[in-house]
Amino acid sequence: MTTAQTGAPVRELTFGELYARVQNFYAHHMHLLDSGAAAEWAETFTEDGVFAPPSAPEPIVGRQALAAGAREAKARLDGIGEQHRHVLVSLDLTPNDDGSLTTRTYAQIIATPRGGEPRLFLMCVTYDHLVFEAGELRVHHRRVTRDDRP
Amino acid sequence: MTTAQTGAPVRELTFGELYARVQNFYAHHMHLLDSGAAAEWAETFTEDGVFAPPSAPEPIVGRQALAAGAREAKARLDGIGEQHRHVLVSLDLTPNDDGSLTTRTYAQIIATPRGGEPRLFLMCVTYDHLVFEAGELRVHHRRVTRDDRP
Amino acid sequence: MTTAQTGAPVRELTFGELYARVQNFYAHHMHLLDSGAAAEWAETFTEDGVFAPPSAPEPIVGRQALAAGAREAKARLDGIGEQHRHVLVSLDLTPNDDGSLTTRTYAQIIATPRGGEPRLFLMCVTYDHLVFEAGELRVHHRRVTRDDRP
């Protein structure tokens, strides 16, 4: 669902339309990550996209580095036989004057071992700066905090 | 909230309107299941609705079979004193040209024993084909996969 | 995002617009609670707002009492080094003829100890009556049930 498809310029989208698109974008974005589609996941960032996770000493910058990180994480999980799911809930959305979006979400990371019961692995808060590129949402900057490390 | 009530033909609904209605439909649909309203839950499928759960050897077809399955499941949970909640999150929605909708959601099933702490019982992915019947959403086909059985 | 900002009277908002605003309101409302902004959280209730939690013998009435309760709860959690997150999902929204809203949500309360793994602490159902005041959503009445106490 692109802006081009609906014919409405991004600036004219109502709050409800923006809210639904961001939720849908996050669902798509995180499913790519969880299913190991590392390159496609990296494409949902801007070319110079930044991801500052709580576990990395330095922010990860750019699609190539983002894809490499996602591939490594997936390989590690495959190695231990665990499926992770990143669930972004409780979206707090602020449209900015320049057409970009500021969001805050609660992020549940759920881990399920092969043959075992799922568990809440991490509870985080995700702070994003999103932009539209050719009508498509992209993550421009992401910062994540972990509840176990206040 | 039906299309008839809002006066807008389904085809003219924006992405945001569709997205909200599907989320609201799922909340209603799963609350019926979780509260044991088996017949009402079955009514939220089409007459020939199909539910292919990961635990059943064959898909469940039709409202009568769906209601029977829901009643059995609820009776079993009542017997062991457990309340289950089916939470569909991370909705990825694709409107189809014929007016039907294709969705993918992450499904958390949360189990709470009487007097005990809740736990994540199952983490699943749900793939639905939804249709509008007289302005009301209905599940036409559902397939569910479990993260513990890759 | 207020009605004043968008220029649309509340009565003219579509279902999708209302649905997004309620979700966004809940995200904001619960983040205030979880981050210990007790007074600001109480402001998201009406002046005579009522909160009937399952753990209190009597409903909590009015912003002063609500703020005091939130402050106490946060101090207790800080004392034991736990971060709680209130996640409202599966929103079932019914707009009323008088412009107010009736909602039912599933509420996950997730607890994360400093240095430890998160856990589902409580699974609840939340029943709200929401009203618009000067274009802003406010909780007028809230009732919560716990799944472990059927």
Side-chain angles (χ1 to χ4, degrees):
Chain A
M1 176 63 48
T2 67
T3 304
Q5 284 171 335
T6 63
V10 167
R11 297 295 185 91
E12 293 177 15
L13 292 176
T14 63
F15 184 76
E17 289 297 319
L18 287 171
Y19 199 87
R21 286 171 198 218
V22 171
Q23 288 184 310
N24 199 67
F25 169 73
Y26 280 145
H28 180 67
H29 169 76
M30 289 305 190
H31 187 265
L32 290 174
L33 179 65
D34 295 337
S35 54
E40 291 88 338
W41 177 72
E43 293 285 325
T44 61
F45 285 81
T46 59
E47 184 61 48
D48 61 348
V50 175
F51 176 27
S55 46
E58 297 285 329
I60 303 164
V61 181
R63 285 177 178 160
Q64 204 171 341
L66 289 162
R71 256 190 305 270
E72 276 170 43
K74 184 65 177 174
R76 197 179 53 75
L77 292 176
D78 285 349
I80 61 172
E82 255 186 30
Q83 175 68 54
H84 279 204
R85 299 290 176 190
H86 292 73
V87 178
L88 297 187
V89 287
S90 303
L91 168 64
D92 191 324
L93 170 67
T94 306
N96 301 313
D97 285 343
D98 64 0
S100 70
L101 306 171
T102 299
T103 71
R104 186 189 58 226
T105 49
Y106 285 171
Q108 303 176 343
I109 306 181
I110 294 159
T112 309
R114 212 164 285 154
E117 284 219 345
R119 69 184 190 282
L120 265 172
F121 174 63
L122 281 182
M123 189 72 200
C124 301
V125 182
T126 299
Y127 303 87
D128 276 357
H129 183 240
L130 305 178
V131 296
F132 281 98
E133 286 188 347
E136 298 285 353
L137 281 165
R138 297 279 178 256
V139 181
H140 176 245
H141 190 280
R142 168 166 297 165
R143 183 171 63 87
V144 178
T145 62
R146 286 169 57 157
D147 277 4
D148 60 338
R149 298 181 185 170
Chain B
M1 176 64 46
T2 66
T3 304
Q5 284 170 334
T6 64
V10 167
R11 297 294 185 92
E12 292 177 15
L13 292 176
T14 62
F15 184 76
E17 289 297 318
L18 287 171
Y19 200 86
R21 286 171 198 219
V22 171
Q23 287 184 311
N24 199 67
F25 170 72
Y26 279 144
H28 180 67
H29 169 76
M30 287 307 189
H31 188 265
L32 290 174
L33 179 66
D34 295 337
S35 54
E40 290 89 338
W41 178 72
E43 292 286 325
T44 61
F45 285 81
T46 59
E47 184 61 47
D48 61 347
V50 175
F51 177 26
S55 46
E58 298 284 329
I60 303 163
V61 181
R63 286 176 177 159
Q64 204 171 340
L66 288 162
R71 255 190 304 271
E72 276 170 44
K74 183 66 176 172
R76 196 179 54 75
L77 292 176
D78 286 349
I80 61 172
E82 254 186 31
Q83 175 67 56
H84 279 203
R85 299 288 175 190
H86 291 72
V87 179
L88 297 187
V89 286
S90 303
L91 169 64
D92 192 325
L93 170 67
T94 306
N96 301 313
D97 286 343
D98 64 0
S100 70
L101 305 171
T102 299
T103 72
R104 184 189 60 226
T105 50
Y106 284 170
Q108 303 175 343
I109 305 182
I110 294 159
T112 309
R114 211 165 286 157
E117 284 219 346
R119 70 184 190 283
L120 265 173
F121 175 62
L122 281 183
M123 190 71 201
C124 300
V125 182
T126 299
Y127 303 86
D128 276 356
H129 183 241
L130 305 177
V131 296
F132 281 99
E133 286 187 348
E136 299 284 354
L137 281 165
R138 297 279 177 258
V139 181
H140 176 244
H141 189 280
R142 168 167 298 165
R143 181 171 65 86
V144 178
T145 61
R146 286 169 57 156
D147 276 3
D148 60 337
R149 299 180 184 172
Chain C
M1 178 62 47
T2 67
T3 304
Q5 283 170 335
T6 62
V10 167
R11 297 296 185 91
E12 292 177 16
L13 293 176
T14 62
F15 184 76
E17 289 297 319
L18 288 170
Y19 199 87
R21 285 171 198 219
V22 171
Q23 287 184 311
N24 199 66
F25 169 73
Y26 280 145
H28 180 68
H29 169 77
M30 288 306 190
H31 187 264
L32 290 174
L33 179 66
D34 295 337
S35 53
E40 290 89 339
W41 178 71
E43 292 287 324
T44 61
F45 284 81
T46 60
E47 184 61 49
D48 61 347
V50 176
F51 176 26
S55 46
E58 297 284 330
I60 302 164
V61 181
R63 285 176 178 161
Q64 204 171 342
L66 289 162
R71 257 190 304 270
E72 276 170 43
K74 183 64 176 173
R76 197 179 54 74
L77 292 176
D78 285 348
I80 61 173
E82 254 186 30
Q83 175 67 55
H84 279 204
R85 299 289 175 189
H86 292 73
V87 179
L88 297 186
V89 286
S90 303
L91 168 64
D92 191 325
L93 170 66
T94 306
N96 301 314
D97 286 342
D98 64 359
S100 70
L101 306 170
T102 299
T103 71
R104 185 189 59 224
T105 49
Y106 286 171
Q108 303 176 345
I109 305 181
I110 293 159
T112 308
R114 212 165 286 156
E117 283 220 346
R119 69 185 191 282
L120 265 172
F121 175 63
L122 281 182
M123 189 72 201
C124 300
V125 182
T126 299
Y127 303 86
D128 276 356
H129 182 241
L130 305 177
V131 296
F132 281 99
E133 285 187 348
E136 297 285 353
L137 281 166
R138 298 279 176 257
V139 180
H140 176 245
H141 190 280
R142 168 168 297 164
R143 182 171 64 86
V144 178
T145 60
R146 287 169 56 157
D147 277 4
D148 59 337
R149 299 180 184 170

